[in-house]
Amino acid sequence: MVNSSVTNLIILPGWTEYAPNSRYRGGSFKRIELPETVESIGSMAFYGNTSLSEVVLKGRVGSVGDQAFYGCTSLISLPDFGVALTNLGTEVFRNCTGLKDVRVAGSVCEIPSKTFYNCTGIERVVLEEGVSSIAYDAFFYDYAIKTLSLPSTAMDLRTSTSYSQFPRVNGVATFHQKEPPANLKKTFLTEFSGVIYYPPEGEAAWQAFLAEAGLSAYGKSWSDALESDPGS
């Protein structure tokens, strides 16, 4: 049973997996520090910890289990996993409504089902080079996104008859792909409002795609922007 009066938790060195079997599920910790020995975070480790606002990682965490941070509504940014992280479980940050800024390193090839589902406060999403596959419901219900940047490696945009990956982006979307990914219109452009930036070397393919989609007015080459990469 978790002591509700404890708000600062520091795990001593020696653990390699933290909180297997939901050990601290539903705790009231505001700050958690994991030592350099921890290499993975177990499933449902901090599930429902609505007070948690800071996670300090001293080592290199490579794996995060299913629903590890589900419902941690006080988190405003992701823990600093860096490039050590390679594996995310499902629903890891589901219902983390306090998240504002999401950056996923390219070491994570796949963003699985409902990773950021119903994270209604997210305003900025940057997926770095190396991320190749995004589940159709990974960002569903995230209606506050104003800035989105997808890498050239993200060509597997999965679709569903019920879900649109980024159902509402009202701001700037930057694509690094030289050609529009398959299923892009179905997964992303259903309720888009803003500016779509694409790389200059892919201008012909993107202009043709946007014209067919009836969205020519939204598209711009990076050369039209003040920065060389407006989504960095």
Side-chain angles (χ1 to χ4, degrees), residues 2 12 18 39 73 104 120 129 162 173 176 187 193 206 218:
V2 178
L12 297 176
Y18 175 69
E39 298 174 354
T73 55
V104 179
T120 54
E129 289 293 319
S162 303
H176 294 76
T187 61
S193 176
W206 276 97
Y218 295 103

Side-chain angles (χ1 to χ4, degrees), residues 66-221:
D66 298 344
Q67 301 182 339
F69 295 94
Y70 187 120
C72 293
T73 55
S74 294
L75 276 179
I76 60 174
S77 61
L78 301 185
D80 186 11
F81 295 110
V83 296
L85 184 65
T86 58
N87 183 51
L88 282 173
T90 60
E91 302 181 275
V92 171
F93 295 100
R94 180 173 177 170
N95 291 354
C96 289
T97 54
L99 284 176
K100 297 293 185 185
D101 194 316
V102 167
R103 178 180 287 269
V104 179
S107 54
V108 179
C109 295
E110 179 183 4
I111 300 180
S113 177
K114 299 181 180 177
T115 303
F116 298 100
Y117 188 97
N118 199 42
C119 293
T120 54
I122 293 178
E123 297 180 354
R124 183 172 184 264
V125 176
V126 176
L127 307 183
E128 297 183 352
E129 289 293 319
V131 176
S132 59
S133 179
I134 306 170
Y136 65 85
D137 55 357
F139 292 90
F140 197 66
Y141 287 123
D142 299 354
Y143 293 155
I145 297 175
K146 298 177 181 177
T147 302
L148 173 69
S149 179
L150 298 183
S152 64
T153 49
M155 297 301 288
D156 183 10
L157 304 183
R158 301 179 190 176
T159 62
S160 164
T161 56
S162 303
Y163 293 94
S164 176
Q165 276 177 336
F166 300 98
R168 296 177 189 171
V169 176
N170 298 299
V172 176
T174 303
F175 293 91
H176 294 76
Q177 300 93 330
K178 293 181 181 179
E179 295 184 0
N183 297 321
L184 176 59
K185 188 175 187 297
K186 187 174 183 179
T187 61
F188 171 70
L189 299 175
T190 52
E191 295 183 48
F192 178 79
S193 176
V195 179
I196 298 171
Y197 283 108
Y198 47 78
E201 59 269 29
E203 187 165 2
W206 276 97
Q207 285 184 345
F209 167 79
L210 292 171
E212 183 180 354
L215 295 167
S216 295
Y218 295 103
K220 290 187 177 183
S221 167

